[in-house]
Amino acid sequence: MKKLDQKNSQLLRVILISILVFFTFWYIKNVTNALTVFLAVIQPFLIGFMLAFIINLPMNFFEKKVFSKVFKTEKTKKLIPVFSLITSWILFILGITIFLNVLIPRISSAVTTLIDRFPVFLNDFVKLLNKNKITKRFADDVQKYIYSVDWNHKLIQVRDYFMGEAGNIFDKTTTIINSVSSTLVTVATSLIFSVFVLISKKDLKILANRVIYSIFKKETADEINKVASLSYSTFASYINSKALSSLILGLLVLIGMFILKIPFAAMAAIMVAIADFIPYVGPLIATIIMMILIFIESPFQSLVFLIFLLIVQQVQGSIIYPALAGKTIGLPSIWIIVSIAIGGSLFGVVGMLVSIPIASILYTLMNEKMDKKLEKKEISKDQIKELAEKVHYKKEED
């Protein structure tokens, strides 16, 4: 059988893709249902892969920095991955336990306190405005607005939203049983699969390379390998540096608030550290909540807290985080803002969390492609700057 030439082969490929796209849109409901079922089936394995990725970060540390120094003989070297995996899982379970038993109750307590004391905060805020000559003229307008809003009704709605959800769930016993059993199966499958992935990670890496290099051309396979390696290193560096940076931020807030004798020090440290994982929006929400809580106790200390937190966040953002992250997450500010906006609008909080490393990967790959094309055209970076300046001057002359 005669092989198609390159032109006809590309034409055939375009026709087949067009037919596939046409039938996909024609049977969009069936395709959507099939994708939903497929995602439900592979969900435990996706969760398992994510768990394996998270556990692998401390596991690599223990393998290279701790147990490699303990087990030095050839016979005992086989124990390094086992002990590293067990230690990592113990730390992970300990972290989840602390989060469920310590952090969530504290955050819940903070929200409840905020709801209960919010009317007191509004009255104190109006009194504070009346004391100052500059803000006194705005006090009446603020007071009228405060009295025009039914705050009790608003707070009851917020309370009913959270409590009502729980009430509806507890009323549906059958749904709970089905949901719990399904969740247990998913969790068990995910845990077992993640352990399997971590134990066999070297073999799986070799298998993945065999599959890639057997299907694709060497150049394409090299490119896939490069993107996969860049993705892993970017995500790993981002999670490691962000976790350590947030922990340091929380400790600084805790120590600073104790020294300044500002109330709710432990709660503020926990909330600020957790909120720091959500760029821009998280720290702002945590700051507002804590400011209101502290304001009820002392308006002056609330102002001190705000100034102190701004200074600490600047130190963390300008010195601590860049020192930990290095050049791995080297994104311009505009890319960070755009990526957070897109990720947040598409996938909510999870989208905001993963948007920065994904944008960093795309930014790195795009820069590499552009550098190669400019190199082929023999255009240097200095020439690009000169051309940009010439265009700028032309616009000014016009």
Side-chain angles (χ1 to χ4, degrees):
M1 186 176 175
K2 190 177 179 182
K3 287 185 179 181
L4 293 170
D5 57 22
Q6 190 176 359
K7 187 177 179 181
N8 289 325
S9 178
Q10 287 178 348
L11 181 63
L12 180 63
R13 191 180 299 171
V14 170
I15 291 168
L16 289 172
I17 291 170
S18 301
I19 293 168
L20 182 65
V21 171
F22 172 77
F23 279 106
T24 300
F25 281 101
W26 186 263
Y27 296 103
I28 188 69
K29 287 185 179 179
N30 294 330
V31 171
T32 305
N33 292 334
L35 282 172
T36 305
V37 172
F38 176 72
L39 287 172
V41 171
I42 66 167
Q43 185 184 17
F45 304 105
L46 289 174
I47 295 170
F49 263 118
M50 286 189 285
L51 270 174
F53 179 84
I54 293 166
I55 299 295
N56 190 50
L57 298 176
M59 187 179 172
N60 281 339
F61 171 78
F62 287 119
E63 281 181 339
K64 294 174 183 177
K65 304 290 184 181
V66 180
F67 293 112
S68 59
K69 295 176 182 179
V70 177
F71 304 108
K72 295 181 179 180
T73 62
E74 289 298 323
K75 289 182 179 180
T76 56
K77 276 184 179 180
K78 293 179 181 179
L79 297 171
I80 292 173
V82 177
F83 275 88
S84 300
L85 179 60
I86 292 169
T87 309
S88 300
W89 267 110
I90 289 169
L91 285 175
F92 181 74
I93 293 167
L94 184 64
I96 294 294
T97 305
I98 292 169
F99 182 77
L100 293 175
N101 292 291
V102 179
L103 304 188
I104 287 181
R106 281 186 176 275
I107 293 168
S108 177
S109 173
V111 173
T112 305
T113 306
L114 179 62
I115 291 170
D116 291 339
R117 296 188 178 186
F118 194 71
V120 179
F121 161 72
L122 293 175
N123 290 328
D124 288 344
F125 184 65
V126 172
K127 288 177 183 177
L128 185 68
L129 291 175
N130 280 314
K131 285 180 181 178
N132 194 300
K133 291 181 180 179
I134 299 171
T135 57
K136 191 174 182 179
R137 55 180 177 175
F138 303 111
D140 292 335
D141 293 332
V142 171
Q143 193 169 15
K144 284 177 185 177
Y145 174 75
I146 288 169
Y147 288 142
S148 67
V149 177
D150 189 356
W151 294 106
N152 288 328
H153 179 67
K154 297 282 184 188
L155 295 172
I156 288 167
Q157 282 183 325
V158 173
R159 210 176 266 166
D160 287 346
Y161 174 78
F162 291 103
M163 299 303 290
E165 289 291 324
N168 291 334
I169 290 170
F170 285 113
D171 289 339
K172 298 177 182 177
T173 311
T174 309
T175 308
I176 286 176
I177 293 168
N178 293 332
S179 176
V180 168
S181 60
S182 174
T183 304
L184 285 174
V185 171
T186 303
V187 169
T189 307
S190 302
L191 289 173
I192 293 166
F193 186 70
S194 67
V195 172
F196 169 78
V197 169
L198 289 166
I199 291 171
S200 313
K201 60 182 179 180
K202 289 181 180 178
D203 295 331
L204 288 171
K205 192 175 180 181
I206 293 166
L207 177 62
N209 275 278
R210 285 187 66 192
V211 171
I212 292 167
Y213 280 94
S214 63
I215 294 173
F216 301 100
K217 294 178 181 177
K218 190 177 181 304
E219 293 78 12
T220 308
D222 286 340
E223 194 67 25
I224 293 169
N225 241 338
K226 180 184 172 183
V227 172
S229 178
L230 176 65
S231 302
Y232 175 81
S233 61
T234 303
F235 269 93
S237 174
Y238 179 74
I239 293 171
N240 279 329
S241 56
K242 196 67 181 174
L244 190 55
S245 173
S246 298
L247 179 63
I248 293 169
L249 176 65
L251 289 172
L252 288 174
V253 170
L254 181 67
I255 294 164
M257 288 180 72
F258 271 127
I259 292 168
L260 296 169
K261 295 181 181 179
I262 301 172
F264 306 108
M267 192 186 296
I270 291 166
M271 287 193 71
V272 169
I274 293 171
D276 188 57
F277 274 90
I278 306 169
Y280 294 111
V281 180
L284 180 64
I285 293 169
T287 304
I288 291 170
I289 291 172
M290 291 313 305
M291 271 196 71
I292 293 172
L293 287 173
I294 298 165
F295 185 92
I296 294 166
E297 298 291 327
S298 169
F300 176 73
Q301 284 185 322
S302 177
L303 181 62
V304 173
F305 168 76
L306 176 62
I307 296 167
F308 164 71
L309 189 61
L310 288 173
I311 293 168
V312 172
Q313 285 176 339
Q314 284 298 314
V315 171
Q316 187 239 16
S318 304
I319 300 170
I320 297 170
Y321 182 67
L324 294 170
K327 295 181 179 179
T328 310
I329 311 290
L331 275 178
S333 299
I334 186 67
W335 272 72
I336 293 173
I337 295 165
V338 171
S339 64
I340 290 168
I342 295 170
S345 60
L346 292 175
F347 305 106
V349 176
V350 177
M352 294 173 76
L353 289 172
V354 301
S355 60
I356 293 177
I358 289 172
S360 178
I361 293 162
L362 295 174
Y363 182 74
T364 304
L365 294 171
M366 186 185 74
N367 271 335
E368 285 183 1
K369 291 285 183 186
M370 286 193 296
D371 287 341
K372 284 180 182 178
K373 287 186 177 182
L374 290 170
E375 193 178 339
K376 284 181 181 179
K377 293 179 180 180
E378 296 181 350
I379 301 173
S380 65
K381 289 181 181 180
D382 293 331
Q383 287 175 316
I384 292 290
K385 287 180 182 178
E386 287 176 10
L387 289 167
E389 286 175 5
K390 283 180 181 177
V391 172
H392 178 67
Y393 288 134
K394 280 182 181 179
K395 283 184 179 179
E396 282 185 349
E397 287 170 7
D398 294 340

